[in-house]
Amino acid sequence: MMESLIHAASSYAGEIDNVILVIAVLSTFWLVLAEGALFYFVFKYRRSKNPKAEYITGETKQQMKWIHWPHNLVLVCDIVILVFAVRSWYHVKQEMPPIDEEVKVVGHQWAWEFVHAGLDGQLGTDDDVATVDELHLVVDRTYKFKLEAADVLHSFSIPAFRFKQDAVPGRQIVGWFKPTKTGQYDVPCSQMCGIGHGIMGGQVYVHTADEYRQWLEKKSAKSAVISVKGVDQIAMNQGGI
Amino acid sequence: MSTHAHRAAASDHEAHGHHDHHEMSFWEKYVFPLDHKMIGMQYFFTGVAMGVIGALMSYAFRMQMAFPGKAVPLFGLITPEFYNSMVTNHGSIMIFWFAMPVLIAAFGNFLIPLMCGCDDMVFPKINRLSYQIFLLSAIILLVSIFMPGGGFGSAWTSYPPLSSSATYNQTPYGAPMWLLAVALEFVAFLLGGINFITTLMNSRAPGMKMYDIPVVLWMIVIASILFMASVGPLIAGAVMLFFDQTMGTGFFDPARGGDPVLWQHLFWFFGHPEVYVVLLPAMGIVAEVLATFARKKLFGYKTILWTAIATGVLSFVVWAHHQFVAGIDPRMANIFTVTTLLISVPVTEMLFVYIATLYGGSIQLTTPMLFAIAFVAEFLIGGVTGIYLGASGADIYFHDTYFVLAHFHYTFIPIAVIAVFAGVYYWFPKMFGRMMNDFWGKVHFWGTAVPFNGIFLPLFYTGAAGDHRRSFDLLNFPEMNQPALIFARQFATVSLLVMLGFQVIFFINFFYSMFRGRKAGANPWNANTLEWVAPSPPPHGNFAELPNCYRGPYEYSVPGRSSDFWPQNEPAN
């Protein structure tokens, strides 16, 4: 159901979509039943057909069961939904599967800063690659993200991954995702962060391993030059090679 | 009995000519009144005026959503600052300056003394003070929109650090003035709530037992208690936030040991009960209208009362479902999912009771009845869509999308618009002594109920497709920039224009009927409750002779009686 609306491009997208489907089926059933009863009664007991109303207190046991049975069944449906909801929540937010790589995400007014681990695959080393508003990932690789905010609250959200987490200043929040489909997806900020909130959105590029390596090498070549040869070299580069 | 003692004192006052020893001047009667009905009217007209302003704001930002970057008639080009300010103030106004004053203060003031059969509120001067503070808060809010830097634009939830620092929000005057206005509004409703609770508990007509109180009064009083119990933490939070904004303290600043998420807890500890603070009075209004026009006793009066109380109690333990992805301990989400799904039980039970009330009735589809039925029909949609958001796993995706927005408008518009219209059409004859035109009422009904669905059904769709809230131009995001989504947004906006257009009919009908409508007798709907015993409109002091109460409020179609209603004040024989 959800896939017809938006890509499902992470390992847990299908699981979240299933929760949504379960809720959709159960709640639509009750909605149709209740609306059906409502409109049927309005139609059947309209004054022109039924000039004299019945006197029903709704307080005898016999009458109360018409309320109590639906209410018990609603409770059962709630429990079913609860099981699906909590299971998927636990999987997405409380578990940390074995990690292939780390990525750092920082929300600024009004752009996303992404720090990729670079060629050595380790975050926090010299060859890290920082980008603005573009996150590059490899398909089928599990990422642990470290989420920070530089100024105000932001929300790191990738709808195609069915993923969302607020970034809070003063904290580093960790979590994970595993992209399963190559492509380009939105990373909108989903928490009001000021005047530029409506333009704060990056893109995530999910590559094959080869594509990613090419991108990384291109990026690393530039940043390696910068880090090794210093400012003069940058000036030379910018002067046009 | 204290009730009798109080009433004796009240009639004693009257005997000494307390009320009518001189003709009241215009100022005494309309500007600084002590009469509960006039204070109710003041709240009503101020609240409706604020509602119109809030609706115009929605026109401004909906036009921007449908036709981004195009000049909007009346408003011109919508800048991001202005967009944020409109969104923020629309939300604040509709909840604090429209829904609460109209549902609780206007109906509460007008109905409580009349329906419990006494001459006025217990503390009329506190009542007047409450309105004056409320008016002041409304003026401060409206002025704040025009201050240098523009109106507050950090969303009605006002999350710090954005809301606490002018460097971040760039509204140096708008932000503190907004907060001051909200805090004053709370003070006004605390004062009003004291009056509602005291009056209903102490000044009921002799013979009116707890289970004889009309449901709408119970609902307003339970809502007042919920409000009073929940607002304290938020007032404390508001003071801290105000200090952060104006004096450079760091309560919510992590760099100085504060915590921005603390505000969210304080806000939602109030903010979620607040949902029920406005829901319950609306449910009450609808209960009165349904019983009267189905000519039926409410199905399970005690069930309604106890489910309302259960809802109220549960509403205090669900707040963190607004914060699943806000950075709280993820284990907390499981607990709050349980409580949130649990609250669906009393609320569905209440709705089932309302539907069951129609069973076997003799239903008159008058204008107020149409609105009451529409309330149940539409609120059901708002209710079931809440489950998607209360279920933690699904909320990861839906949080802060248009799906949320569509969901709570499907609860709030039935509450603050549809139920309010049901109440206005129902009690208008009592308020002004004249009937509203039924034909134009029905035209207004269809022109409200149909386009309302036209606005928000498409937004469920765009939200499920990923449209996120509070963004002034979704075309900046490639996945949101699709023809089907653009069409849905435009459809919603056009529906809004149609719905707003039809409200003109309501206002013409309202003001025309106020002066020229057909005269209404004391009890035009053949209803049971005590307000229909008083003349229409009731004079200062309400009743020619204070009524006694002999039975519950919903004794319609009692077997063996020739008439299908049995007023509460009519002695058994």
Side-chain angles (χ1 to χ4, degrees), chain A residues 2 24 35 45 47 50-51 53-55 57 71 78 89 94 109 164-166 171 185-186 188 190 194-195 197-198, chain B residues 84 259 296 300 325 327 330-331 334 341 344 349 360-363 377 388 397 399-400 468 470 476 478-479 555:
Chain A
M2 291 299 290
E35 300 277 10
Y45 298 109
R47 180 148 245 190
N50 197 32
E54 291 174 46
Y55 184 77
T57 60
H71 140 186
D78 278 350
W89 172 269
Q94 285 176 261
Q109 274 185 329
K164 191 174 285 123
Q165 176 62 55
D166 283 10
R171 293 191 199 177
Y185 311 106
D186 283 349
S190 296
I195 291 170
H197 172 61
Chain B
N84 287 355
D259 184 356
K296 274 284 307 285
V325 296
R331 289 170 301 177
N334 303 328
L341 290 179
S344 70
E349 186 151 352
S362 175
I363 296 168
Y388 294 82
Y397 178 66
H399 187 78
D400 266 333
H468 49 275
R470 294 168 178 149
N476 288 321
E479 280 177 65
E555 297 302 316

Side-chain angles (χ1 to χ4, degrees), chain A residues 159-218:
Chain A
F161 289 8
R162 307 289 183 272
F163 167 77
K164 191 174 285 123
Q165 176 62 55
D166 283 10
V168 182
R171 293 191 199 177
Q172 188 179 67
I173 296 169
V174 297
W176 69 280
F177 46 73
K178 181 180 177 184
T180 50
K181 261 193 206 146
T182 55
Q184 178 188 341
Y185 311 106
D186 283 349
V187 191
C189 174
S190 296
Q191 182 62 270
M192 170 55 94
C193 61
I195 291 170
H197 172 61
I199 52 163
M200 180 168 172
Q203 294 289 307
V204 53
Y205 299 87
V206 181
H207 302 286
T208 59
D210 287 346
E211 276 171 11
Y212 179 74
R213 199 160 179 89
Q214 283 166 18
W215 173 81
L216 199 59
E217 276 165 359
K218 218 164 77 190

Side-chain angles (χ1 to χ4, degrees), chain A residues 80-110:
Chain A
V80 173
I81 291 168
L82 183 71
V83 170
F84 277 87
V86 168
R87 220 170 43 180
S88 62
W89 172 269
Y90 187 83
H91 182 55
V92 177
K93 294 284 185 183
Q94 285 176 261
E95 275 184 338
M96 184 65 79
I99 294 303
D100 298 318
E101 199 167 318
E102 291 186 336
V103 59
K104 187 170 151 184
V105 183
V106 186
H108 297 266
Q109 274 185 329
W110 295 284

Side-chain angles (χ1 to χ4, degrees), chain A residues 6-25:
Chain A
I6 185 163
H7 300 285
S10 77
S11 61
Y12 46 61
E15 192 180 344
I16 302 258
D17 288 354
N18 278 341
V19 181
I20 295 170
L21 186 67
V22 168
I23 299 173
V25 169

